[in-house]
Short mmCIF file of all heavy atoms in Angstrom, two decimals:
data_model
loop_
_atom_site.label_atom_id
_atom_site.label_comp_id
_atom_site.label_asym_id
_atom_site.label_seq_id
_atom_site.Cartn_x
_atom_site.Cartn_y
_atom_site.Cartn_z
N LEU A 63 8.97 -26.00 -3.86
CA LEU A 63 9.57 -24.93 -4.69
C LEU A 63 11.00 -25.31 -5.08
O LEU A 63 11.62 -26.15 -4.45
CB LEU A 63 9.57 -23.57 -3.99
CG LEU A 63 8.21 -23.02 -3.54
CD1 LEU A 63 8.39 -21.69 -2.81
CD2 LEU A 63 7.25 -22.86 -4.72
N ARG A 109 4.67 -17.14 0.03
CA ARG A 109 6.06 -17.56 -0.18
C ARG A 109 6.94 -16.47 0.41
O ARG A 109 7.06 -15.40 -0.19
CB ARG A 109 6.37 -17.73 -1.67
CG ARG A 109 5.49 -18.76 -2.34
CD ARG A 109 5.91 -18.97 -3.77
NE ARG A 109 5.01 -19.89 -4.44
CZ ARG A 109 5.12 -20.25 -5.71
NH1 ARG A 109 6.10 -19.77 -6.44
NH2 ARG A 109 4.27 -21.10 -6.25
N GLU A 111 9.70 -15.01 0.44
CA GLU A 111 10.91 -14.91 -0.38
C GLU A 111 12.00 -14.18 0.40
O GLU A 111 11.72 -13.28 1.20
CB GLU A 111 10.61 -14.12 -1.66
CG GLU A 111 9.40 -14.58 -2.45
CD GLU A 111 9.70 -15.74 -3.41
OE1 GLU A 111 10.84 -16.25 -3.37
OE2 GLU A 111 8.79 -16.12 -4.16
N ARG A 120 9.32 -8.62 -9.73
CA ARG A 120 8.42 -9.75 -10.00
C ARG A 120 7.97 -10.50 -8.75
O ARG A 120 7.12 -11.38 -8.85
CB ARG A 120 9.13 -10.80 -10.87
CG ARG A 120 9.51 -10.42 -12.24
CD ARG A 120 9.81 -11.66 -13.08
NE ARG A 120 10.75 -12.59 -12.44
CZ ARG A 120 12.08 -12.44 -12.45
NH1 ARG A 120 12.62 -11.40 -13.04
NH2 ARG A 120 12.86 -13.32 -11.86
N HIS A 121 8.56 -10.20 -7.60
CA HIS A 121 8.29 -11.03 -6.43
C HIS A 121 7.60 -10.27 -5.30
O HIS A 121 8.01 -9.17 -4.94
CB HIS A 121 9.59 -11.64 -5.89
CG HIS A 121 10.19 -12.64 -6.82
ND1 HIS A 121 11.15 -12.30 -7.75
CD2 HIS A 121 9.93 -13.97 -7.00
CE1 HIS A 121 11.47 -13.38 -8.46
NE2 HIS A 121 10.75 -14.40 -8.02
N MET A 122 6.56 -10.90 -4.76
CA MET A 122 5.92 -10.44 -3.53
C MET A 122 6.00 -11.62 -2.55
O MET A 122 6.25 -12.74 -2.97
CB MET A 122 4.45 -10.11 -3.79
CG MET A 122 4.26 -9.09 -4.89
SD MET A 122 2.57 -9.10 -5.48
CE MET A 122 1.82 -8.12 -4.19
N PHE A 125 0.84 -13.66 -2.91
CA PHE A 125 0.25 -13.28 -4.21
C PHE A 125 -0.87 -14.26 -4.52
O PHE A 125 -1.15 -15.18 -3.75
CB PHE A 125 1.33 -13.30 -5.31
CG PHE A 125 1.92 -14.66 -5.54
CD1 PHE A 125 1.43 -15.48 -6.54
CD2 PHE A 125 2.96 -15.13 -4.75
CE1 PHE A 125 1.96 -16.75 -6.76
CE2 PHE A 125 3.49 -16.41 -4.95
CZ PHE A 125 2.98 -17.21 -5.96
N GLN A 127 -2.56 -16.91 -7.34
CA GLN A 127 -2.27 -17.72 -8.51
C GLN A 127 -3.58 -18.31 -9.05
O GLN A 127 -4.42 -18.76 -8.28
CB GLN A 127 -1.33 -18.84 -8.08
CG GLN A 127 -0.68 -19.53 -9.23
CD GLN A 127 0.27 -20.66 -8.86
OE1 GLN A 127 0.52 -21.49 -9.70
NE2 GLN A 127 0.80 -20.70 -7.67
N GLU A 239 8.97 -14.26 -16.35
CA GLU A 239 8.06 -15.40 -16.19
C GLU A 239 6.68 -15.00 -15.71
O GLU A 239 6.53 -14.30 -14.72
CB GLU A 239 8.70 -16.37 -15.18
CG GLU A 239 7.88 -17.63 -15.01
CD GLU A 239 8.12 -18.28 -13.66
OE1 GLU A 239 9.28 -18.46 -13.26
OE2 GLU A 239 7.11 -18.60 -13.00
N GLY A 240 5.66 -15.53 -16.40
CA GLY A 240 4.27 -15.25 -16.01
C GLY A 240 3.52 -16.48 -15.57
O GLY A 240 2.52 -16.38 -14.85
N LEU A 241 3.98 -17.65 -16.03
CA LEU A 241 3.29 -18.91 -15.70
C LEU A 241 4.30 -20.03 -15.70
O LEU A 241 5.27 -20.00 -16.46
CB LEU A 241 2.20 -19.19 -16.75
CG LEU A 241 1.65 -20.62 -16.88
CD1 LEU A 241 0.17 -20.58 -17.24
CD2 LEU A 241 2.40 -21.46 -17.91
N SER A 242 4.07 -21.00 -14.81
CA SER A 242 4.84 -22.25 -14.88
C SER A 242 3.87 -23.42 -14.86
O SER A 242 2.85 -23.38 -14.17
CB SER A 242 5.76 -22.41 -13.66
OG SER A 242 6.84 -21.53 -13.73
N GLY A 286 0.04 -22.79 -13.58
CA GLY A 286 -0.50 -21.73 -12.72
C GLY A 286 0.14 -20.41 -13.11
O GLY A 286 1.33 -20.37 -13.44
N PHE A 287 -0.67 -19.36 -13.10
CA PHE A 287 -0.09 -18.04 -13.40
C PHE A 287 -0.46 -17.03 -12.33
O PHE A 287 -1.53 -17.09 -11.72
CB PHE A 287 -0.51 -17.53 -14.80
CG PHE A 287 -1.98 -17.27 -14.98
CD1 PHE A 287 -2.49 -15.99 -14.81
CD2 PHE A 287 -2.84 -18.28 -15.33
CE1 PHE A 287 -3.86 -15.73 -14.99
CE2 PHE A 287 -4.20 -18.04 -15.52
CZ PHE A 287 -4.71 -16.76 -15.34
N GLY A 288 0.45 -16.10 -12.10
CA GLY A 288 0.26 -15.08 -11.08
C GLY A 288 -0.62 -13.96 -11.61
O GLY A 288 -0.36 -13.40 -12.68
N ARG A 291 1.25 -10.68 -11.62
CA ARG A 291 2.23 -10.58 -12.73
C ARG A 291 1.53 -10.29 -14.05
O ARG A 291 2.07 -9.58 -14.90
CB ARG A 291 3.07 -11.85 -12.83
CG ARG A 291 4.09 -11.92 -11.73
CD ARG A 291 5.22 -12.85 -12.08
NE ARG A 291 6.05 -13.09 -10.92
CZ ARG A 291 7.04 -13.97 -10.87
NH1 ARG A 291 7.33 -14.70 -11.93
NH2 ARG A 291 7.75 -14.12 -9.77
N ILE A 302 6.26 -4.93 -9.29
CA ILE A 302 5.02 -5.65 -8.92
C ILE A 302 4.45 -5.15 -7.58
O ILE A 302 3.26 -5.24 -7.33
CB ILE A 302 5.26 -7.18 -8.88
CG1 ILE A 302 3.92 -7.93 -8.93
CG2 ILE A 302 6.08 -7.59 -7.67
CD1 ILE A 302 4.04 -9.40 -9.24
P1 AMP B 401 5.68 -21.24 -9.83
O1 AMP B 401 4.94 -22.52 -10.04
O2 AMP B 401 6.55 -21.23 -8.65
O3 AMP B 401 6.40 -20.83 -11.07
O4 AMP B 401 4.55 -20.12 -9.59
C1 AMP B 401 3.52 -19.96 -10.53
C2 AMP B 401 3.36 -18.53 -10.94
O5 AMP B 401 3.05 -17.72 -9.80
C3 AMP B 401 4.60 -17.87 -11.52
O6 AMP B 401 4.77 -18.14 -12.88
C4 AMP B 401 4.30 -16.41 -11.29
O7 AMP B 401 3.37 -15.89 -12.23
C5 AMP B 401 3.61 -16.44 -9.94
N1 AMP B 401 4.59 -16.20 -8.85
C6 AMP B 401 5.47 -17.08 -8.33
N2 AMP B 401 6.16 -16.56 -7.31
C7 AMP B 401 5.71 -15.29 -7.16
C8 AMP B 401 6.03 -14.22 -6.24
N3 AMP B 401 6.92 -14.37 -5.26
N4 AMP B 401 5.35 -13.05 -6.38
C9 AMP B 401 4.43 -12.90 -7.35
N5 AMP B 401 4.07 -13.88 -8.23
C10 AMP B 401 4.70 -15.06 -8.15
#
Side-chain angles (χ1 to χ4, degrees):
L63 302 178
R109 300 184 184 179
E111 309 276 5
R120 295 197 310 279
H121 293 93
M122 303 164 80
F125 63 95
Q127 195 180 159
E239 184 205 311
L241 161 145
S242 288
F287 64 95
R291 285 201 191 173
I302 198 166

